[in-house]
Amino acid sequence: MSDVTIVAKNGGSPGVHPHNDAMRRRIEPGLLRVFRFFVGIRFGLLALMALSLDNRTEEQLLLVPGPGLVVYGILLMYLIAPPVQRLMGRRYLSVGLIVATVSPIVENGIAVGLRLDQGDPPNRAIEDWWLLFFVLFVPLILIAWQYRFRTVLLFAAGTTLLDAILLSPLLQESATQESIVGGLLFARGAVYALVGYVIGKLIGAQRAHQQDLAHHAATREQLATSNERTRLARELHDTLAHTLSAVAVQLEGATSVWDEDPTRARTMVQRSLEGTRHGLTEARRAIDALRASPLEDLGLPAAVRRLGHDASEVHSIAVDVSAVADVGAVRPEVEHAVYRIAEEAITNAVRHARAASVTMILTRRRGRVELVVTDDGAGFDPNGFDSTGHHGLNGMRERAELVGAELTVSSTAGAGTTIVFAAAP
């Protein structure tokens, strides 16, 4: 497994930009995990079937798990090897789904042929043929989840045609049985098309809803940012601008009377110093107002938990904050950095990585405050890093540098991203 780590510590300068848009666009969040789970279960069932062959009686139907065991074993390795995913690119998922679809149909055709060869009648030879309907149902769901309805139609027609081609020569001696199988094949294809259509509609509605929520959240964020900028501009104008203007006038006056009336000039300089101190106090007050309000109201652990819960509700993403613990007294600037980095990490996971789940861990370890944010999104290609334009990671690095912290970002294409922030409290 290859990954990339970015470290920003006291002036570190990483350059990182995910450049794996093809995979991020093509594979829906969580789909690969479901696919791997299905292939693993199928492989396990075939292995158990192979082990049970020694106890088979002559009256039992002939079972042929060998070919499927080999194919699904290779397919399982194919799905869990990240280098294969990077090598195949956009074809990665489609090739896997084709194999998972064609393999059980061919296995079934081989089994039926062997049963007929050993003298079983057609009715008995296809006695468990109906199980194929359920085996193909999972690839159907994955195809409807990932692709458009025309791909679902291609799946329904292709599975029907392939099954008919394999079974027709085997059952040609029994015209009645062949017509029954043909009718069942047509019905199965129609059911697949209908179910795929419904699944596609439901997933399309869910995607549209998520996009609406993301757009609404982005609009609210932009409005809040605009309002905050306006407020800060007003605060700075009323404090720094007025103070500096008054100091400039007083210093100009002191300069003009310095030789003629030194006492008056010193008085004016003293007033300038007092005005400068007052302006500095007001500027610090305005800067302190930049701290995230949830930190003021809730404290760091509760604010991070709330951040995760809000993201879960708004973006329909599973955010696990069960490991967010009390870290004790922490410098205000470190609290602010932790909160903003957690916020940016969740935003990246939702908008860019299209993750289905995020885990946040906040703890104090080895005398340092440590935040770990992990997602199961698309990750990014280590060979496609580019620091220009990736403001999210650059912003995290800058925040870490400001508080003398260490920031590490590790990612593998197709296997998610982990962000670790560690700072002295």
Side-chain angles (χ1 to χ4, degrees):
M1 177 183 297
S2 62
D3 60 13
V4 168
T5 301
I6 312 119
V7 178
K9 184 177 181 181
N10 297 333
S13 180
V16 186
H17 179 59
H19 192 64
N20 200 19
D21 293 338
M23 292 304 300
R24 186 162 57 246
R25 286 196 305 266
R26 293 292 293 176
I27 302 180
E28 287 289 322
L31 188 147
L32 273 180
R33 288 187 300 166
V34 174
F35 194 10
R36 291 164 182 159
F37 186 67
F38 162 71
V39 173
I41 291 178
R42 174 78 172 152
F43 178 78
L45 292 175
L46 289 171
L48 290 175
M49 187 183 299
L51 293 175
S52 68
L53 287 181
D54 292 338
N55 300 322
R56 180 178 62 88
T57 63
E58 294 182 358
E59 290 75 17
Q60 290 179 321
L61 294 177
L62 185 63
L63 302 176
V64 190
L69 197 60
V70 173
V71 172
Y72 273 85
I74 296 174
L75 182 58
L76 186 60
M77 291 187 291
Y78 173 87
L79 291 174
I80 63 177
V84 176
Q85 184 174 358
R86 290 194 297 272
L87 179 64
M88 296 296 293
R90 293 187 178 185
R91 298 170 295 174
Y92 174 73
L93 180 61
S94 58
V95 170
L97 288 172
I98 290 173
V99 173
T101 300
V102 173
S103 176
I105 298 176
V106 175
E107 293 170 37
N108 182 75
I110 294 173
V112 172
L114 290 176
R115 291 168 190 165
L116 291 173
D117 290 341
Q118 74 174 8
D120 287 343
N123 286 343
R124 185 169 178 78
I126 63 170
E127 188 171 284
D128 61 349
W129 172 74
W130 58 273
L131 291 173
L132 189 61
F133 174 84
F134 298 99
V135 175
L136 294 177
F137 212 77
V138 175
L140 167 66
I141 294 174
L142 297 178
I143 289 172
W145 184 359
Q146 174 68 27
Y147 301 104
R148 296 182 179 180
F149 181 62
R150 62 187 180 188
T151 308
V152 173
L153 291 178
L154 181 61
F155 172 87
T159 53
T160 300
L161 182 61
L162 178 59
D163 216 353
I165 291 174
L166 292 176
L167 292 180
S168 179
L170 302 177
L171 303 175
Q172 59 186 353
E173 296 180 1
S174 176
T176 302
Q177 194 67 35
E178 191 174 8
S179 63
I180 293 175
V181 171
L184 291 175
L185 283 173
F186 178 80
R188 188 184 71 185
V191 171
Y192 281 164
L194 178 61
V195 172
Y197 176 79
V198 173
I199 293 175
K201 284 293 183 181
L202 291 175
I203 292 177
Q206 182 184 24
R207 289 172 183 161
H209 180 62
Q210 290 176 345
Q211 290 177 355
D212 290 341
L213 288 176
H215 177 71
H216 179 66
T219 301
R220 290 183 59 184
E221 182 180 352
Q222 292 174 358
L223 181 60
T225 301
S226 178
N227 292 338
E228 184 65 11
R229 286 176 176 173
T230 302
R231 186 186 70 80
L232 287 175
R234 183 170 59 251
E235 288 282 342
L236 293 175
H237 178 269
D238 293 342
T239 55
L240 286 180
H242 286 172
T243 299
L244 292 176
S245 177
V247 168
V249 171
Q250 290 172 353
L251 290 178
E252 288 176 356
T255 301
S256 64
V257 299
W258 189 270
D259 295 329
E260 299 176 2
D261 192 348
T263 302
R264 183 182 176 188
R266 282 194 293 272
T267 301
M268 297 178 70
V269 170
Q270 186 63 34
R271 290 177 180 173
S272 298
L273 289 174
E274 293 175 357
T276 302
R277 293 190 183 97
H278 176 72
L280 182 59
T281 301
E282 291 298 313
R284 285 173 175 168
R285 182 184 62 80
I287 292 173
D288 288 339
L290 285 172
R291 296 189 70 217
S293 58
L295 292 174
E296 298 285 356
D297 300 335
L298 305 173
L300 179 59
V304 172
R305 292 191 197 99
R306 178 176 173 182
L307 182 66
H309 292 153
D310 291 346
S312 180
E313 293 179 359
V314 172
H315 301 293
S316 299
I317 182 175
V319 182
D320 182 5
V321 294
S322 59
V324 173
D326 188 4
V327 292
V330 180
R331 288 178 291 157
E333 59 268 27
V334 174
E335 283 189 340
H336 188 216
V338 169
Y339 183 81
R340 290 305 184 193
I341 287 175
E343 186 178 51
E344 182 63 31
I346 292 178
T347 299
N348 288 344
V350 172
R351 295 185 181 176
H352 305 302
R354 299 176 67 186
S357 64
V358 175
T359 300
M360 290 200 296
I361 301 173
L362 178 64
T363 185
R364 185 185 287 253
R365 180 179 300 176
R366 298 176 182 176
R368 298 196 301 176
V369 176
E370 185 175 284
L371 171 72
V372 181
V373 183
T374 304
D375 68 68
D376 64 350
F380 46 86
D381 188 349
N383 298 320
F385 278 49
D386 180 10
S387 61
T388 59
H390 202 291
H391 304 296
L393 288 178
N394 287 336
M396 292 183 190
R397 173 180 59 81
E398 291 167 359
R399 291 186 186 280
E401 290 176 356
L402 287 175
V403 297
E406 178 179 300
L407 179 72
T408 303
V409 182
S410 302
S411 186
T412 301
T417 300
T418 299
I419 296 173
V420 181
F421 170 91

